[in-house]
Amino acid sequence: GDKAFAQFLTDEIKEEKKIQKHKTLPKVSGGWELEVHGTEAKLVRKIAGEKITVTFNINNSIPPSADDEPQEGQKADEQEPDLTSTPNFVVEVIKDDTKQTLVLDCHYPEDEVGHEGEEESDIFTIREVSFQPTGESDWKDTNYTLNTDSLDWALYDHLMDFLADRGVDNTFADELIELSTALEHQEYIKFLEDLKSFVKCQ
């Protein structure tokens, strides 16, 4: 059984490498520096007196597809490469002269992705906003967290503009999807390769 499994994985790795769009991870424009630790990625950008970091994790970032059945007249394989990774991402804005970090928790609403042509709508939304002490890795649940569900629209728009002024806008969000998808695919191939050596190991 293991032999057949290893053979299947070998073929699968070959196929996945064939459809791999990016041999190296795509860059995000606007002077962001990328750090990757396993499935977690961090983008960092410094502007006058501020440091902006955007963190996301590719685990569970591929939304479940609504119709897994291949379309009429389509082979099951033809659908495969369209998986897109849309991870939640956290934006932290740190001002040099304060001890607080503004943290904005953002995500891609499932129904928004892929609706091109609607100029007005943002492809990501802010879910929560809070202040956290700068430099502390453990965030406190006792800090007030603003949930945007019931937020005044004008305030919400200002928060979106605040992010856009710091380079976190629709273009950025699009490029983040591209980066995350490439990273997810790269990790998936690596996982298949690890699985293959694990199965073959006697």
Side-chain angles (χ1 to χ4, degrees), residues 15-28:
E15 281 306 303
E16 290 296 332
K17 284 191 166 161
K18 229 191 296 184
I19 61 171
Q20 195 173 13
K21 273 204 203 114
H22 303 279
K23 295 296 172 238
T24 56
L25 293 173
K27 293 259 185 291
V28 176

Side-chain angles (χ1 to χ4, degrees), residues 77-137:
D77 301 353
E78 288 173 12
Q79 288 206 307
E80 292 278 307
D82 270 1
L83 296 177
T84 306
S85 160
T86 50
N88 297 343
F89 59 97
V90 175
V91 183
E92 294 169 60
V93 181
I94 303 162
K95 286 191 189 272
D96 292 350
D97 48 3
T98 68
K99 298 277 181 287
Q100 286 184 314
T101 298
L102 182 65
V103 178
L104 302 104
D105 199 334
C106 305
H107 78 137
Y108 294 94
E110 277 174 32
D111 52 348
E112 287 297 326
V113 176
H115 289 304
E116 270 87 45
E118 296 175 23
E119 275 308 291
E120 282 309 294
S121 73
D122 290 299
I123 59 173
F124 70 98
T125 59
I126 303 170
R127 258 206 301 221
E128 291 183 345
V129 189
S130 68
F131 280 111
Q132 298 295 344
T134 300
E136 289 191 23
S137 52

